[in-house]
Amino acid sequence: MKHALTLIPGDGIGPEVTKPTLEIIKAAGVTIEWETHLAGADALKKHKTTIPKELIGSFNKNKIALKGPVTTPVGEGFASVNVELRQSFDLYANLRPIRNLPGVKARYQNVDLIVVRENTEGLYSGIEHEVVPGVMESLKIITEKASTRIARFAFEFARTHGRKKIAAIHKANIMKLTDGLFLDCARNMATNYTDIAFSDLIVDNACLQLVLDPLKLDVLLLENLYGDIVSDLAAGLVGGLGVVAGANLGDSHALFETVHGSAPDIKGKGIANPTAMISAAIMMLNHISEPAAAKQISVALERVLQRGDCLTPDLGGSATTKKFAEAIIKEMER
Ligand code: NAI
């Protein structure tokens, strides 16, 4: 079957990790007609907008996209393309599996966490203003609708994927109304899923527990900001940002991407680890009902990582992005 999908290579190391990923998908025999679109600063230069209407049209038509990281300027400049895409297409669930990959040195082994992050509101609502000079205000929006929806997603995911425990992570001791509502919605949802053990953790304690013993936790349910921060912390437990991917899921659209950003410090050096982007593609292939190709790529990726003789510098090797990807394709041809 031929698929038509939307591709956003992104910027920074985005195109560097996207190119080999597409070659690997092709080598797995999946025929995809990619509709490639710019986003962010590159799109702003060419189309005078960070999310061109052609990209919106393509994603609306295809419903599925693979996306590389896109830079968001700090302080001034344009709003985050990532946040805008998630909000515009109502990609409300950010799902990030965090587990060890064979051969990837990590602080812990046998980590198997699922981060479920609410993707559309919280402090990422983008409602900020100057109250008076020297005083800024940012509004944290938490709604019953979005909190219930993400809680249901987490419990359904847990049930359908054989997970046993969900911990809702919050700061309801301080933000009694906003985080209090988020927690209440999770607690209410838990009453419908008595087969799944439910607990809650204050976010600072959750970070401590993750660092002390990540094996104690299973599915983590978080509002937007905590999900963003805890995802990176969790990635650090299993080998870093180069190896973790995520799916942004809505009722109709799905966007698969790396957890890492555009890594300006290594841009153009040809040494970015494409594992996260390849893992995003594996998630996407499963989503589009190409499980055989997903499995073939996943097995080859794990074999190359396990062998350890062709790793990128972030994993302690000296291979280039290109060499690492070539090793995967070679492994797939065996
Ligand atoms: P980053 O994830 O780009 O980089 C953090 C560190 O991890 C850097 O030292 C980088 O070299 C390393 N790293 C990241 N990916 C790697 C890979 N594939 N291989 C090897 N090393 C890797 O985070 P940072 O520096 O905070 O953000 C840079 C830009 O990316 C910002 O503008 C930020 O807004 C954007 N960003 C975009 C995301 C997206 O498009 N989904 C997600 C996160 C950040």
Side-chain angles (χ1 to χ4, degrees):
M1 184 186 167
K2 192 171 170 182
H3 306 271
L5 304 178
T6 302
L7 179 70
I8 308 166
D11 53 41
I13 60 166
E16 296 173 44
V17 292
T18 300
K19 186 169 177 281
T21 301
L22 301 193
E23 285 163 7
I24 289 167
I25 295 174
K26 200 169 169 196
V30 185
T31 313
I32 298 178
E33 192 181 299
W34 292 106
E35 295 174 9
T36 306
H37 294 281
L38 296 175
D42 294 344
L44 193 59
K45 263 185 238 145
K46 190 163 174 212
H47 300 283
K48 309 261 176 296
T49 169
T50 53
I51 305 183
K53 63 178 187 317
E54 291 81 2
L55 163 56
I56 295 171
S58 171
F59 193 23
N60 262 332
K61 173 170 68 71
N62 299 329
K63 307 277 190 287
I64 293 164
L66 182 64
K67 178 185 155 297
V70 176
T71 303
T72 307
V74 174
E76 295 183 344
F78 56 82
S80 165
V81 165
N82 304 307
V83 172
E84 250 184 278
L85 282 173
R86 291 165 190 166
Q87 289 173 347
S88 313
F89 290 95
D90 204 17
L91 304 168
Y92 62 86
N94 194 328
L95 180 73
R96 292 172 165 178
I98 309 279
R99 55 177 164 255
N100 294 98
L101 284 167
V104 176
K105 285 199 195 78
R107 289 174 198 283
Y108 293 94
Q109 288 303 317
N110 305 317
V111 176
D112 187 10
L113 297 164
I114 300 288
V115 174
V116 176
R117 163 184 172 192
E118 203 292 321
N119 232 358
T120 61
E121 54 178 31
L123 271 169
Y124 288 51
S125 304
I127 309 169
E128 287 192 316
H129 61 270
E130 183 179 72
V131 182
V132 290
V135 182
M136 303 296 180
E137 188 170 58
S138 183
L139 298 185
K140 172 163 171 164
I141 308 294
I142 297 286
T143 64
E144 186 176 351
K145 183 175 168 228
S147 303
T148 299
R149 183 166 69 162
I150 196 67
R152 183 178 297 110
F153 177 93
F155 278 97
E156 275 301 313
F157 180 91
R159 185 175 271 173
T160 51
H161 290 78
R163 314 295 298 214
K164 302 284 176 247
K165 296 187 286 187
I166 293 187
I169 293 172
H170 61 88
K171 193 79 191 177
N173 51 333
I174 306 294
M175 280 165 271
K176 293 180 193 299
L177 293 183
T178 48
D179 282 21
L181 176 58
F182 184 83
L183 179 57
D184 279 349
C185 293
R187 278 190 180 136
N188 288 340
M189 192 55 64
T191 61
N192 302 316
Y193 294 82
T194 47
D195 48 325
I196 314 246
F198 176 73
S199 63
D200 70 274
L201 282 172
I202 293 175
V203 63
D204 32 0
N205 183 26
C207 292
L208 174 73
Q209 298 307 323
L210 277 168
V211 171
L212 287 178
D213 186 1
L215 275 62
K216 276 195 189 147
L217 292 160
D218 186 349
V219 176
L220 310 179
L221 169 62
L222 310 100
E223 60 87 84
N224 212 340
L225 175 66
Y226 309 147
D228 194 2
I229 296 169
V230 169
S231 295
D232 275 31
L233 186 155
L237 300 171
V238 297
L241 283 170
V243 298
V244 181
N248 297 276
L249 305 168
D251 290 331
S252 54
H253 292 64
L255 182 146
F256 298 84
E257 65 178 348
T258 61
V259 171
H260 67 71
S262 55
D265 52 339
I266 55 167
K267 176 191 168 189
K269 294 187 178 162
I271 55 163
N273 184 353
T275 300
M277 194 62 176
I278 297 166
S279 302
I282 291 169
M283 290 176 89
M284 186 201 73
L285 288 170
N286 279 317
H287 188 86
I288 62 170
S289 303
E290 294 282 2
K295 182 85 190 158
Q296 190 193 4
I297 297 172
S298 169
V299 167
L301 169 66
E302 292 195 1
R303 285 203 185 126
V304 170
L305 289 169
Q306 176 102 64
R307 239 179 22 231
D309 57 357
C310 190
L311 301 178
T312 46
D314 58 310
L315 299 183
S318 57
T320 59
T321 312
K322 191 165 181 276
K323 284 275 173 234
F324 180 75
E326 281 168 4
I328 294 170
I329 293 176
K330 221 178 198 173
E331 194 60 51
M332 287 164 66
E333 287 165 351
R334 273 175 192 259

